[in-house]
Amino acid sequence: MEIIPTIRAEVQTYLIRKSLTMTEFGHMIDLNVGTVSGIVTGNRSISVHQLDRITMGMNLPPDYFYERYIDECIEEEPLNWRRISPFLYRCVELGRLDCLRRVVGMLLDNPIYLPSLFEVAEDSYKKGFTEAAAFLYENVAEGEKYQYSERLAVCQYRLFTIRIGDDQEKNYDAAVQFEPYVERLDEIDQLEALKDLANTYRSLRKWDKLELFAKALGDKAKIQYNLEQKKRHHMNKDNSKKPKFPLFAYWAFSHLLRAEACEGRKDYEQALQHTYAYSDLSWVNATDETTLKWKKKYEDWAVVNTYLNKLLSGDKSVLPDYVAYISSRKDEILPALDNILEAANRYHFDVDNILNQFEEEIISFLEQKKVEGLYTQRFTTERYTHFSRELAIYLLRKGRFSEGFTFLFSCLEKSAEANNRIQAIRCMRLFTHFKEHASANTKAVYGELIKAVNEDEE
């Protein structure tokens, strides 16, 4: 068995090998000679800052001594948060999750460290170290699981946001797991959490869930808005927590989402009622730049969504205005084309001229270029799979089989990547329906694609 020298022994060996005095080494690493001497002789403990200076001076990787540091300076000494916390932050920064796990495991035996570990998790999350943050949140949540605490709810909220990605099955599981904790959050944080939950169910096309959380968002936003107006009326100094967006914007967004849920259920009349609700924000009296910006956004969205609901009801006459509206708004082109094709397929409209007009954009969607704009990449990916399937249906029905199969296969591939099984199955059924029009090469490509999908499933 290999005997690994202590940190102190290895530093001492280095000094002898390089013929360096402690004074000379101290000057190199910006530590005074007394500190270096105390560390080498074992008369004083080593801080992680001092360890990093020593490691740098020896031209070693910054985390070279970290495992031994745990053995010698943490496990063998009484737990000291002032010494341990800087080490945890360095483990996070350097991606040493193995060392992080070892030290956190020691701290979890004493619940007194849970609030401190939560702060490290929050700092790690804000700095973008999501893997380390997730590990810390999971452990804090486990330690708090029998407490009806806001800290536990925040942990679960952060874990929800970290877990959301391109896999639709995992997104659904993450949303369901987080649902019970929303009410435990601070009232202002609840608005963001409900918005995020609703948006997740929106991308999953779970219309009942979307309706449920969108309504809760609107109700809570209205309460907070009224409270805010009372404080202003009484000229009270307001030091309370501020929301990310104006409170009326959350209320308006709830109606926009509820309109979309109604559209998903083909209840276009009710969808219009929700659209009319957020189109009139004349009751919002503030005139600051942010308020005016959001009022204008919702007025614009109300216009386009009014066109949309009339179109999905079968009113073809709104198409010119709808197309004119989206032409100058790049972030609206993909969802609008998706809606136009859905209506065209349902009511047998001919929209060839519109497809020709946006041919360049459609090709860019097919080539999987990132779509910039108001929508999250997750929502855009889901929208693209729906759009490509609607376009495939339109083209196949018109006898444009080569193009139709191209978009069908793109939808199938994207659906498989996102673990969207329902959409993948719909693609397979559509191919079966038009299979007789597929060339031998097209059937071979389909076979390889299905093989890849099945391998992913396994």
Side-chain angles (χ1 to χ4, degrees):
M1 182 178 175
E2 182 185 358
I3 298 175
I4 301 174
T6 64
I7 296 171
R8 292 178 175 90
E10 192 158 340
V11 174
Q12 200 165 32
T13 301
Y14 176 82
L15 295 178
I16 293 168
R17 191 171 74 249
K18 294 291 186 178
S19 300
L20 288 169
T21 66
M22 291 185 192
T23 301
E24 289 170 334
F25 189 59
H27 285 311
M28 285 172 54
I29 62 176
D30 200 23
L31 291 178
N32 67 57
V33 64
T35 300
V36 176
S37 176
I39 290 170
V40 172
T41 58
N43 292 327
R44 66 179 296 163
S45 58
I46 312 173
S47 72
V48 71
H49 169 72
Q50 292 163 351
L51 181 67
D52 286 343
R53 304 298 304 177
I54 289 168
T55 307
M56 181 185 67
M58 294 171 69
N59 293 314
L60 295 169
D63 58 344
Y64 179 80
F65 286 121
Y66 276 21
E67 291 173 60
R68 273 179 273 178
Y69 187 77
I70 297 172
D71 295 333
E72 299 169 27
C73 304
I74 296 179
E75 282 187 338
E76 292 184 4
E77 297 183 19
L79 293 177
N80 182 329
W81 181 253
R82 289 184 65 183
R83 183 188 305 125
I84 291 173
S85 64
F87 180 68
L88 294 181
Y89 279 108
R90 287 296 285 152
C91 289
V92 170
E93 290 166 5
L94 296 173
R96 287 302 301 265
L97 297 191
D98 56 332
C99 294
L100 186 70
R101 290 187 184 97
R102 282 184 62 189
V103 178
V104 169
M106 298 177 218
L107 296 171
L108 288 174
D109 291 334
N110 190 337
I112 197 173
Y113 291 112
L114 287 175
S116 300
L117 287 172
F118 175 75
E119 290 304 317
V120 178
E122 287 282 79
D123 290 339
S124 302
Y125 179 79
K126 289 169 187 173
K127 292 175 182 175
F129 299 110
T130 53
E131 188 177 359
F135 166 75
L136 291 164
Y137 286 130
E138 285 166 358
N139 281 276
V140 173
E142 180 64 24
E144 297 257 4
K145 65 182 178 181
Y146 298 115
Q147 307 297 320
Y148 197 88
S149 70
E150 184 181 335
R151 185 161 54 237
L152 171 60
V154 173
C155 285
Q156 294 294 349
Y157 182 29
R158 299 284 189 260
L159 286 168
F160 165 66
T161 60
I162 290 169
R163 288 166 180 163
I164 291 296
D166 292 330
D167 189 314
Q168 294 287 57
E169 291 286 331
K170 289 180 181 177
N171 290 348
Y172 180 73
D173 290 342
V176 170
Q177 190 172 336
F178 172 55
E179 279 184 28
Y181 297 95
V182 177
E183 293 288 336
R184 303 188 200 180
L185 290 168
D186 171 271
E187 285 85 352
I188 297 301
D189 287 339
Q190 284 183 33
L191 299 177
E192 275 298 300
L194 287 166
K195 174 179 71 68
D196 291 343
L197 259 181
N199 265 331
T200 300
Y201 286 124
R202 177 191 195 186
S203 73
L204 292 165
R205 294 180 176 259
K206 301 287 186 183
W207 306 125
D208 290 346
K209 288 275 194 180
L210 172 56
E211 171 72 30
L212 176 69
F213 290 106
K215 184 179 185 304
L217 173 63
D219 292 344
K220 289 179 183 294
K222 187 175 183 181
I223 291 169
Q224 292 301 316
Y225 180 83
N226 289 336
L227 288 172
E228 182 183 66
Q229 296 307 302
K230 286 180 181 178
K231 287 176 184 176
R232 286 181 179 176
H233 181 71
H234 293 291
M235 303 297 287
N236 292 339
K237 188 175 181 180
D238 187 9
N239 295 317
S240 59
K241 191 172 187 176
K242 302 299 180 187
K244 190 173 180 180
F245 303 108
L247 290 168
F248 78 87
Y250 288 101
W251 178 88
F253 190 57
S254 78
H255 280 285
L256 186 150
L257 292 175
R258 293 177 72 184
E260 191 161 335
C262 292
E263 290 161 17
R265 294 191 293 254
K266 298 181 175 56
D267 185 353
Y268 304 116
E269 184 55 43
Q270 188 58 47
L272 275 172
Q273 296 310 308
H274 286 298
T275 302
Y276 294 149
Y278 70 78
S279 68
D280 180 11
L281 296 173
S282 57
W283 48 272
V284 179
N285 296 320
T287 56
D288 58 279
E289 185 179 345
T290 301
T291 296
L292 295 177
K293 180 188 79 173
W294 280 102
K295 286 178 75 171
K296 181 69 168 61
K297 279 182 182 291
Y298 281 106
E299 286 169 7
D300 284 351
W301 289 335
V303 170
V304 72
N305 286 326
T306 299
Y307 292 148
L308 168 61
N309 281 289
K310 290 181 176 179
L311 176 64
L312 292 175
S313 300
D315 183 355
K316 188 180 178 181
S317 67
V318 299
L319 264 176
D321 290 335
Y322 190 21
V323 171
Y325 179 89
I326 66 166
S327 295
S328 60
R329 295 167 171 82
K330 288 186 178 180
D331 52 342
E332 292 290 345
I333 291 174
L334 174 58
L337 289 177
D338 182 23
N339 295 325
I340 288 168
L341 282 164
E342 184 175 338
N345 288 332
R346 185 179 303 159
Y347 300 109
H348 304 286
F349 296 161
D350 186 307
V351 292
D352 284 358
N353 61 325
I354 297 173
L355 296 180
N356 291 334
Q357 181 178 340
F358 295 101
E359 183 179 8
E360 186 177 327
E361 287 82 359
I362 292 170
I363 291 171
S364 74
F365 301 152
L366 181 62
E367 292 173 351
Q368 301 176 26
K369 294 177 183 175
K370 185 175 180 181
V371 181
E372 302 289 349
L374 296 164
Y375 302 103
T376 63
Q377 193 62 28
R378 181 181 77 253
F379 182 73
T380 301
T381 299
E382 187 280 331
R383 198 80 199 226
Y384 172 76
T385 58
H386 192 268
F387 158 77
S388 54
R389 182 174 165 274
E390 291 291 343
L391 181 52
I393 293 170
Y394 181 83
L395 294 170
L396 291 169
R397 284 180 176 174
K398 288 208 147 214
R400 295 161 64 178
F401 300 115
S402 178
E403 296 171 86
F405 286 127
T406 296
F407 282 96
L408 177 60
F409 293 170
S410 180
C411 179
L412 179 55
E413 193 170 14
K414 276 286 186 186
S415 299
E417 288 173 5
N419 200 11
N420 189 338
R421 296 178 185 177
I422 294 174
Q423 194 69 284
I425 290 169
R426 287 172 179 160
C427 289
M428 294 176 196
R429 287 175 179 165
L430 187 58
F431 181 81
T432 301
H433 186 75
F434 288 94
K435 185 178 179 179
E436 64 184 276
H437 302 288
S439 66
N441 181 61
T442 299
K443 290 175 183 176
V445 171
Y446 177 77
E448 289 299 315
L449 197 51
I450 291 299
K451 184 179 177 183
V453 169
N454 289 335
E455 285 173 357
D456 288 341
E457 284 286 326
E458 291 169 9

